[in-house]
Amino acid sequence: MNNQEPFRPAPRSQKESPVFNVEQGDSSCSSRSGNPAPLQPATVETSSSPVVQPVRKRGCLSVAIFAAILGGGAAGFYYYTTTQPQKIKEPFALLSASSGTEAEPVSFSQLLKAAQAGNKSVYLQVAEAYAHGVGTEQNIQEARHWYLAAEKSGSVAASLALAEMDYDAASYAAAMPRYTCALAELTAEQFYRLASCHYQAFEQATGEEAAEHARLAVHYYTNAATQQHAQAAIQLGHCYYKGIGVEVSITEAIVWFSVAAEQGVVESQFRLAWCLMQQAPSNNELAAQWLSRAAEQGHAAAAYNLALCLLSGRGVEKNPQLALTYLQQAAEQNYTSAIRRLAFCYRDGEGSPRNLPLAVSCFARAAEYDAESAYNYAWCLHHGFGVEPNLPVALAWYVRAAQLQYPPAQEVLPSFRLVRLMPNFGLEWMLKSQNYPKM
């Protein structure tokens, strides 16, 4: 093993792995153009249409239903309809049509009998009872049947209940018009869900249809985010960052990521830091603080990018030893860029004593999915740098790096005798092969 030979090939590129390099598989918000929140939200115009003003949260709807099934039409059923099952009254009570005072309790079977007899005014209450198991066994299929009947009779509350069912079942196209018909009743969470329905439609549509869904998604995310809904704020920040449904605006992205970041949402803290550093160098110190908060909560990308800041002195004092700690934290979560950067630290003695075998081990861990690591691991095996030489395995990893479109690997492959003997078919076969060593 030759540990004295200088490590010449594939130095770290002059352009360091970019801060906020979010890799495939890392947590993030979904994006049509990309894959999953101490400022106050600004007043924002998201489109030519005026933003719907935030509505008060909907409380229980007290609904007095009079059904002429007893006393010659003098009494009926009184029932609370709500999405909160603990608020539903049971047993059901009769009201006097003349005085409005409660009479003797009525069972669910009597309520159901009235609905089956065609009394449209109790369809919604039967649906709610089935949905929440009040006075009867819970039966979602029967609940949906009676919600549909109530919706046909004009019940907005039934439409909203069906929208919730559709959304939970990922039937976004069905949920969308039902939420829309109940705008005045929507909570912040339901505005977020309606916006998400439009975002899903945007990702599947094209042209003007996609643009309209994107505009409406931003419109409804804004309604939810102005009510401090964290997930809506993250999505709205994402839309401004990517220019989905609005013009690109890093400033507005910062505003909305801040809403969720201040609520402790770790993904938004990371994205806020990302935007701050992109906006201006003067933001570097604040960005590093948000990276630190996210990293302390275990966010791998934040830990990696904070390590880069500590290595370069961007927004913080240089501290290679602390940087190594954050790289190890991200590497433990299999964050590929952190594993590769950790290998360079061990190779160069940055933040720790030089440790070539450990550097090779890190290159090997990242090699399957990272082209630069695959190439460096192959070079170590080729030249016996920190590991016993192994030309066949080195060749396989050169091939893997070439598959990942790494130019140095594509340049070095023809130097192998096996490749020279089969200059065309052999190289093409190896590049298509998946028979490289698995770590």
Side-chain angles (χ1 to χ4, degrees), residues 210-247:
E212 179 64 9
H213 281 300
R215 184 188 69 80
L216 289 171
V218 169
H219 182 67
Y220 294 123
Y221 279 138
T222 301
N223 278 275
T226 52
Q227 298 178 67
Q228 303 297 302
H229 191 286
Q231 290 303 316
I234 294 173
Q235 282 298 109
L236 187 55
H238 172 75
C239 289
Y240 274 106
Y241 183 80
K242 291 288 187 180
I244 298 173
V246 288
E247 293 294 325

mmCIF file of all heavy atoms in Angstrom, residues 210-247:
data_model
loop_
_atom_site.group_PDB
_atom_site.id
_atom_site.type_symbol
_atom_site.label_atom_id
_atom_site.label_comp_id
_atom_site.label_asym_id
_atom_site.label_seq_id
_atom_site.Cartn_x
_atom_site.Cartn_y
_atom_site.Cartn_z
ATOM 1 N N ALA A 210 -52.644 24.700 -16.660
ATOM 2 C CA ALA A 210 -51.655 24.600 -15.582
ATOM 3 C C ALA A 210 -51.427 25.957 -14.937
ATOM 4 O O ALA A 210 -51.339 26.071 -13.700
ATOM 5 C CB ALA A 210 -50.346 24.036 -16.130
ATOM 6 N N ALA A 211 -51.325 26.995 -15.749
ATOM 7 C CA ALA A 211 -51.091 28.339 -15.214
ATOM 8 C C ALA A 211 -52.231 28.786 -14.307
ATOM 9 O O ALA A 211 -52.002 29.405 -13.258
ATOM 10 C CB ALA A 211 -50.905 29.329 -16.365
ATOM 11 N N GLU A 212 -53.479 28.468 -14.695
ATOM 12 C CA GLU A 212 -54.619 28.861 -13.873
ATOM 13 C C GLU A 212 -54.644 28.113 -12.548
ATOM 14 O O GLU A 212 -54.918 28.699 -11.494
ATOM 15 C CB GLU A 212 -55.920 28.611 -14.641
ATOM 16 C CG GLU A 212 -57.197 28.955 -13.884
ATOM 17 C CD GLU A 212 -57.327 30.441 -13.558
ATOM 18 O OE1 GLU A 212 -56.516 31.253 -14.060
ATOM 19 O OE2 GLU A 212 -58.248 30.792 -12.789
ATOM 20 N N HIS A 213 -54.336 26.819 -12.584
ATOM 21 C CA HIS A 213 -54.282 26.059 -11.327
ATOM 22 C C HIS A 213 -53.168 26.582 -10.425
ATOM 23 O O HIS A 213 -53.333 26.663 -9.199
ATOM 24 C CB HIS A 213 -54.085 24.576 -11.611
ATOM 25 C CG HIS A 213 -55.331 23.857 -12.019
ATOM 26 N ND1 HIS A 213 -56.448 23.787 -11.212
ATOM 27 C CD2 HIS A 213 -55.641 23.167 -13.160
ATOM 28 C CE1 HIS A 213 -57.395 23.082 -11.826
ATOM 29 N NE2 HIS A 213 -56.931 22.710 -12.995
ATOM 30 N N ALA A 214 -52.035 26.951 -11.005
ATOM 31 C CA ALA A 214 -50.932 27.495 -10.209
ATOM 32 C C ALA A 214 -51.345 28.811 -9.556
ATOM 33 O O ALA A 214 -51.056 29.063 -8.375
ATOM 34 C CB ALA A 214 -49.700 27.699 -11.089
ATOM 35 N N ARG A 215 -52.027 29.667 -10.320
ATOM 36 C CA ARG A 215 -52.482 30.954 -9.783
ATOM 37 C C ARG A 215 -53.441 30.743 -8.619
ATOM 38 O O ARG A 215 -53.335 31.403 -7.583
ATOM 39 C CB ARG A 215 -53.165 31.768 -10.887
ATOM 40 C CG ARG A 215 -53.581 33.164 -10.451
ATOM 41 C CD ARG A 215 -54.420 33.846 -11.513
ATOM 42 N NE ARG A 215 -55.733 33.223 -11.641
ATOM 43 C CZ ARG A 215 -56.761 33.456 -10.832
ATOM 44 N NH1 ARG A 215 -56.618 34.265 -9.783
ATOM 45 N NH2 ARG A 215 -57.917 32.859 -11.030
ATOM 46 N N LEU A 216 -54.378 29.810 -8.787
ATOM 47 C CA LEU A 216 -55.346 29.553 -7.719
ATOM 48 C C LEU A 216 -54.683 28.901 -6.507
ATOM 49 O O LEU A 216 -55.077 29.159 -5.363
ATOM 50 C CB LEU A 216 -56.484 28.676 -8.253
ATOM 51 C CG LEU A 216 -57.429 29.388 -9.219
ATOM 52 C CD1 LEU A 216 -58.379 28.391 -9.875
ATOM 53 C CD2 LEU A 216 -58.223 30.484 -8.517
ATOM 54 N N ALA A 217 -53.694 28.056 -6.739
ATOM 55 C CA ALA A 217 -52.972 27.448 -5.616
ATOM 56 C C ALA A 217 -52.327 28.537 -4.762
ATOM 57 O O ALA A 217 -52.443 28.543 -3.527
ATOM 58 C CB ALA A 217 -51.914 26.476 -6.131
ATOM 59 N N VAL A 218 -51.649 29.488 -5.406
ATOM 60 C CA VAL A 218 -51.032 30.595 -4.673
ATOM 61 C C VAL A 218 -52.096 31.417 -3.951
ATOM 62 O O VAL A 218 -51.929 31.816 -2.791
ATOM 63 C CB VAL A 218 -50.223 31.483 -5.645
ATOM 64 C CG1 VAL A 218 -49.793 32.784 -4.963
ATOM 65 C CG2 VAL A 218 -49.006 30.730 -6.152
ATOM 66 N N HIS A 219 -53.211 31.655 -4.628
ATOM 67 C CA HIS A 219 -54.316 32.435 -4.068
ATOM 68 C C HIS A 219 -54.805 31.825 -2.750
ATOM 69 O O HIS A 219 -54.938 32.527 -1.733
ATOM 70 C CB HIS A 219 -55.438 32.458 -5.110
ATOM 71 C CG HIS A 219 -56.641 33.256 -4.731
ATOM 72 N ND1 HIS A 219 -56.624 34.618 -4.586
ATOM 73 C CD2 HIS A 219 -57.909 32.864 -4.471
ATOM 74 C CE1 HIS A 219 -57.840 35.045 -4.261
ATOM 75 N NE2 HIS A 219 -58.639 33.996 -4.183
ATOM 76 N N TYR A 220 -55.028 30.518 -2.739
ATOM 77 C CA TYR A 220 -55.561 29.877 -1.540
ATOM 78 C C TYR A 220 -54.479 29.585 -0.503
ATOM 79 O O TYR A 220 -54.751 29.610 0.701
ATOM 80 C CB TYR A 220 -56.325 28.604 -1.917
ATOM 81 C CG TYR A 220 -57.569 28.905 -2.720
ATOM 82 C CD1 TYR A 220 -57.768 28.336 -3.983
ATOM 83 C CD2 TYR A 220 -58.541 29.777 -2.232
ATOM 84 C CE1 TYR A 220 -58.902 28.635 -4.725
ATOM 85 C CE2 TYR A 220 -59.682 30.074 -2.967
ATOM 86 C CZ TYR A 220 -59.851 29.498 -4.220
ATOM 87 O OH TYR A 220 -60.970 29.810 -4.952
ATOM 88 N N TYR A 221 -53.246 29.306 -0.939
ATOM 89 C CA TYR A 221 -52.157 29.189 0.033
ATOM 90 C C TYR A 221 -52.013 30.498 0.807
ATOM 91 O O TYR A 221 -51.739 30.486 2.020
ATOM 92 C CB TYR A 221 -50.825 28.882 -0.666
ATOM 93 C CG TYR A 221 -50.612 27.438 -1.037
ATOM 94 C CD1 TYR A 221 -50.059 27.085 -2.277
ATOM 95 C CD2 TYR A 221 -50.930 26.406 -0.149
ATOM 96 C CE1 TYR A 221 -49.846 25.757 -2.619
ATOM 97 C CE2 TYR A 221 -50.718 25.079 -0.484
ATOM 98 C CZ TYR A 221 -50.177 24.760 -1.728
ATOM 99 O OH TYR A 221 -49.961 23.445 -2.068
ATOM 100 N N THR A 222 -52.189 31.626 0.121
ATOM 101 C CA THR A 222 -52.085 32.929 0.780
ATOM 102 C C THR A 222 -53.146 33.072 1.862
ATOM 103 O O THR A 222 -52.879 33.581 2.959
ATOM 104 C CB THR A 222 -52.212 34.060 -0.254
ATOM 105 O OG1 THR A 222 -51.187 33.920 -1.237
ATOM 106 C CG2 THR A 222 -52.075 35.420 0.414
ATOM 107 N N ASN A 223 -54.384 32.626 1.562
ATOM 108 C CA ASN A 223 -55.444 32.707 2.561
ATOM 109 C C ASN A 223 -55.103 31.900 3.811
ATOM 110 O O ASN A 223 -55.368 32.333 4.934
ATOM 111 C CB ASN A 223 -56.753 32.201 1.958
ATOM 112 C CG ASN A 223 -57.446 33.258 1.141
ATOM 113 O OD1 ASN A 223 -58.188 34.081 1.662
ATOM 114 N ND2 ASN A 223 -57.176 33.281 -0.151
ATOM 115 N N ALA A 224 -54.522 30.736 3.624
ATOM 116 C CA ALA A 224 -54.151 29.903 4.773
ATOM 117 C C ALA A 224 -52.925 30.470 5.488
ATOM 118 O O ALA A 224 -52.869 30.512 6.725
ATOM 119 C CB ALA A 224 -53.893 28.469 4.320
ATOM 120 N N ALA A 225 -51.934 30.923 4.722
ATOM 121 C CA ALA A 225 -50.682 31.397 5.317
ATOM 122 C C ALA A 225 -50.891 32.669 6.123
ATOM 123 O O ALA A 225 -50.225 32.879 7.152
ATOM 124 C CB ALA A 225 -49.636 31.628 4.233
ATOM 125 N N THR A 226 -51.804 33.542 5.689
ATOM 126 C CA THR A 226 -52.066 34.758 6.451
ATOM 127 C C THR A 226 -52.739 34.453 7.782
ATOM 128 O O THR A 226 -52.805 35.319 8.657
ATOM 129 C CB THR A 226 -52.956 35.726 5.649
ATOM 130 O OG1 THR A 226 -54.122 35.044 5.194
ATOM 131 C CG2 THR A 226 -52.206 36.292 4.463
ATOM 132 N N GLN A 227 -53.219 33.225 7.936
ATOM 133 C CA GLN A 227 -53.758 32.772 9.220
ATOM 134 C C GLN A 227 -52.729 31.932 9.978
ATOM 135 O O GLN A 227 -53.072 31.163 10.864
ATOM 136 C CB GLN A 227 -55.047 31.974 8.989
ATOM 137 C CG GLN A 227 -56.161 32.786 8.334
ATOM 138 C CD GLN A 227 -57.401 31.945 8.081
ATOM 139 O OE1 GLN A 227 -58.059 31.506 9.018
ATOM 140 N NE2 GLN A 227 -57.727 31.714 6.821
ATOM 141 N N GLN A 228 -51.451 32.088 9.588
ATOM 142 C CA GLN A 228 -50.331 31.436 10.264
ATOM 143 C C GLN A 228 -50.321 29.922 10.083
ATOM 144 O O GLN A 228 -49.815 29.188 10.936
ATOM 145 C CB GLN A 228 -50.316 31.784 11.762
ATOM 146 C CG GLN A 228 -50.251 33.276 12.054
ATOM 147 C CD GLN A 228 -48.964 33.906 11.533
ATOM 148 O OE1 GLN A 228 -47.877 33.494 11.907
ATOM 149 N NE2 GLN A 228 -49.094 34.900 10.660
ATOM 150 N N HIS A 229 -50.867 29.432 8.985
ATOM 151 C CA HIS A 229 -50.807 27.996 8.696
ATOM 152 C C HIS A 229 -49.413 27.676 8.174
ATOM 153 O O HIS A 229 -49.010 28.141 7.104
ATOM 154 C CB HIS A 229 -51.879 27.627 7.669
ATOM 155 C CG HIS A 229 -52.062 26.151 7.497
ATOM 156 N ND1 HIS A 229 -51.152 25.360 6.828
ATOM 157 C CD2 HIS A 229 -53.052 25.314 7.909
ATOM 158 C CE1 HIS A 229 -51.576 24.109 6.822
ATOM 159 N NE2 HIS A 229 -52.720 24.057 7.479
ATOM 160 N N ALA A 230 -48.657 26.884 8.919
ATOM 161 C CA ALA A 230 -47.236 26.681 8.628
ATOM 162 C C ALA A 230 -46.998 26.011 7.282
ATOM 163 O O ALA A 230 -46.158 26.466 6.490
ATOM 164 C CB ALA A 230 -46.591 25.861 9.745
ATOM 165 N N GLN A 231 -47.708 24.915 6.997
ATOM 166 C CA GLN A 231 -47.475 24.202 5.749
ATOM 167 C C GLN A 231 -47.855 25.049 4.541
ATOM 168 O O GLN A 231 -47.201 25.003 3.497
ATOM 169 C CB GLN A 231 -48.242 22.877 5.749
ATOM 170 C CG GLN A 231 -47.695 21.842 6.718
ATOM 171 C CD GLN A 231 -46.230 21.520 6.459
ATOM 172 O OE1 GLN A 231 -45.816 21.343 5.321
ATOM 173 N NE2 GLN A 231 -45.451 21.446 7.520
ATOM 174 N N ALA A 232 -48.917 25.832 4.672
ATOM 175 C CA ALA A 232 -49.293 26.728 3.581
ATOM 176 C C ALA A 232 -48.213 27.777 3.359
ATOM 177 O O ALA A 232 -47.899 28.126 2.213
ATOM 178 C CB ALA A 232 -50.634 27.396 3.887
ATOM 179 N N ALA A 233 -47.633 28.280 4.448
ATOM 180 C CA ALA A 233 -46.566 29.278 4.324
ATOM 181 C C ALA A 233 -45.345 28.692 3.620
ATOM 182 O O ALA A 233 -44.713 29.361 2.788
ATOM 183 C CB ALA A 233 -46.182 29.802 5.708
ATOM 184 N N ILE A 234 -45.008 27.441 3.929
ATOM 185 C CA ILE A 234 -43.876 26.792 3.256
ATOM 186 C C ILE A 234 -44.152 26.671 1.761
ATOM 187 O O ILE A 234 -43.315 27.006 0.919
ATOM 188 C CB ILE A 234 -43.613 25.397 3.852
ATOM 189 C CG1 ILE A 234 -43.138 25.505 5.289
ATOM 190 C CG2 ILE A 234 -42.556 24.653 3.028
ATOM 191 C CD1 ILE A 234 -43.011 24.164 5.985
ATOM 192 N N GLN A 235 -45.348 26.202 1.416
ATOM 193 C CA GLN A 235 -45.684 26.031 0.001
ATOM 194 C C GLN A 235 -45.731 27.366 -0.724
ATOM 195 O O GLN A 235 -45.317 27.471 -1.881
ATOM 196 C CB GLN A 235 -47.022 25.308 -0.133
ATOM 197 C CG GLN A 235 -46.937 23.804 0.095
ATOM 198 C CD GLN A 235 -46.034 23.129 -0.924
ATOM 199 O OE1 GLN A 235 -44.940 22.679 -0.577
ATOM 200 N NE2 GLN A 235 -46.454 23.075 -2.171
ATOM 201 N N LEU A 236 -46.225 28.390 -0.052
ATOM 202 C CA LEU A 236 -46.284 29.718 -0.671
ATOM 203 C C LEU A 236 -44.870 30.247 -0.899
ATOM 204 O O LEU A 236 -44.574 30.820 -1.958
ATOM 205 C CB LEU A 236 -47.089 30.659 0.222
ATOM 206 C CG LEU A 236 -47.407 32.040 -0.338
ATOM 207 C CD1 LEU A 236 -48.121 31.942 -1.679
ATOM 208 C CD2 LEU A 236 -48.260 32.828 0.653
ATOM 209 N N GLY A 237 -43.988 30.054 0.089
ATOM 210 C CA GLY A 237 -42.591 30.445 -0.101
ATOM 211 C C GLY A 237 -41.958 29.697 -1.258
ATOM 212 O O GLY A 237 -41.203 30.280 -2.063
ATOM 213 N N HIS A 238 -42.275 28.416 -1.374
ATOM 214 C CA HIS A 238 -41.764 27.610 -2.481
ATOM 215 C C HIS A 238 -42.243 28.152 -3.821
ATOM 216 O O HIS A 238 -41.473 28.227 -4.789
ATOM 217 C CB HIS A 238 -42.218 26.163 -2.283
ATOM 218 C CG HIS A 238 -41.932 25.272 -3.448
ATOM 219 N ND1 HIS A 238 -40.672 24.814 -3.743
ATOM 220 C CD2 HIS A 238 -42.754 24.757 -4.404
ATOM 221 C CE1 HIS A 238 -40.729 24.046 -4.826
ATOM 222 N NE2 HIS A 238 -41.980 24.001 -5.243
ATOM 223 N N CYS A 239 -43.515 28.543 -3.886
ATOM 224 C CA CYS A 239 -44.069 29.083 -5.133
ATOM 225 C C CYS A 239 -43.355 30.375 -5.527
ATOM 226 O O CYS A 239 -43.042 30.587 -6.704
ATOM 227 C CB CYS A 239 -45.570 29.323 -4.993
ATOM 228 S SG CYS A 239 -46.557 27.813 -4.922
ATOM 229 N N TYR A 240 -43.087 31.235 -4.566
ATOM 230 C CA TYR A 240 -42.372 32.474 -4.877
ATOM 231 C C TYR A 240 -40.924 32.186 -5.267
ATOM 232 O O TYR A 240 -40.361 32.854 -6.134
ATOM 233 C CB TYR A 240 -42.419 33.434 -3.681
ATOM 234 C CG TYR A 240 -43.660 34.291 -3.659
ATOM 235 C CD1 TYR A 240 -44.681 34.045 -2.744
ATOM 236 C CD2 TYR A 240 -43.827 35.345 -4.557
ATOM 237 C CE1 TYR A 240 -45.832 34.823 -2.728
ATOM 238 C CE2 TYR A 240 -44.972 36.125 -4.548
ATOM 239 C CZ TYR A 240 -45.970 35.867 -3.636
ATOM 240 O OH TYR A 240 -47.104 36.636 -3.619
ATOM 241 N N TYR A 241 -40.324 31.200 -4.643
ATOM 242 C CA TYR A 241 -38.938 30.874 -4.971
ATOM 243 C C TYR A 241 -38.819 30.303 -6.383
ATOM 244 O O TYR A 241 -37.892 30.621 -7.126
ATOM 245 C CB TYR A 241 -38.373 29.881 -3.954
ATOM 246 C CG TYR A 241 -36.920 29.545 -4.197
ATOM 247 C CD1 TYR A 241 -35.910 30.410 -3.782
ATOM 248 C CD2 TYR A 241 -36.560 28.371 -4.845
ATOM 249 C CE1 TYR A 241 -34.577 30.115 -4.023
ATOM 250 C CE2 TYR A 241 -35.233 28.071 -5.084
ATOM 251 C CZ TYR A 241 -34.246 28.941 -4.672
ATOM 252 O OH TYR A 241 -32.925 28.654 -4.916
ATOM 253 N N LYS A 242 -39.781 29.472 -6.754
ATOM 254 C CA LYS A 242 -39.734 28.815 -8.061
ATOM 255 C C LYS A 242 -40.465 29.584 -9.151
ATOM 256 O O LYS A 242 -40.352 29.260 -10.324
ATOM 257 C CB LYS A 242 -40.342 27.405 -7.946
ATOM 258 C CG LYS A 242 -39.513 26.424 -7.145
ATOM 259 C CD LYS A 242 -38.269 26.024 -7.911
ATOM 260 C CE LYS A 242 -37.514 24.910 -7.193
ATOM 261 N NZ LYS A 242 -36.298 24.504 -7.935
ATOM 262 N N GLY A 243 -41.269 30.585 -8.763
ATOM 263 C CA GLY A 243 -42.051 31.297 -9.767
ATOM 264 C C GLY A 243 -43.245 30.501 -10.243
ATOM 265 O O GLY A 243 -43.577 30.506 -11.429
ATOM 266 N N ILE A 244 -43.899 29.805 -9.332
ATOM 267 C CA ILE A 244 -45.073 28.993 -9.673
ATOM 268 C C ILE A 244 -46.325 29.792 -9.334
ATOM 269 O O ILE A 244 -46.622 30.052 -8.177
ATOM 270 C CB ILE A 244 -45.070 27.667 -8.892
ATOM 271 C CG1 ILE A 244 -43.846 26.834 -9.271
ATOM 272 C CG2 ILE A 244 -46.356 26.880 -9.139
ATOM 273 C CD1 ILE A 244 -43.653 25.588 -8.430
ATOM 274 N N GLY A 245 -47.029 30.233 -10.366
ATOM 275 C CA GLY A 245 -48.246 31.007 -10.169
ATOM 276 C C GLY A 245 -48.010 32.470 -9.874
ATOM 277 O O GLY A 245 -48.963 33.246 -9.798
ATOM 278 N N VAL A 246 -46.768 32.866 -9.667
ATOM 279 C CA VAL A 246 -46.376 34.249 -9.389
ATOM 280 C C VAL A 246 -45.000 34.488 -10.006
ATOM 281 O O VAL A 246 -44.328 33.552 -10.432
ATOM 282 C CB VAL A 246 -46.297 34.535 -7.872
ATOM 283 C CG1 VAL A 246 -47.665 34.599 -7.238
ATOM 284 C CG2 VAL A 246 -45.426 33.499 -7.174
ATOM 285 N N GLU A 247 -44.602 35.766 -10.049
ATOM 286 C CA GLU A 247 -43.245 36.086 -10.469
ATOM 287 C C GLU A 247 -42.259 35.640 -9.384
ATOM 288 O O GLU A 247 -42.573 35.680 -8.190
ATOM 289 C CB GLU A 247 -43.095 37.592 -10.701
ATOM 290 C CG GLU A 247 -43.901 38.130 -11.874
ATOM 291 C CD GLU A 247 -43.415 37.591 -13.207
ATOM 292 O OE1 GLU A 247 -42.186 37.392 -13.357
ATOM 293 O OE2 GLU A 247 -44.261 37.346 -14.090
#
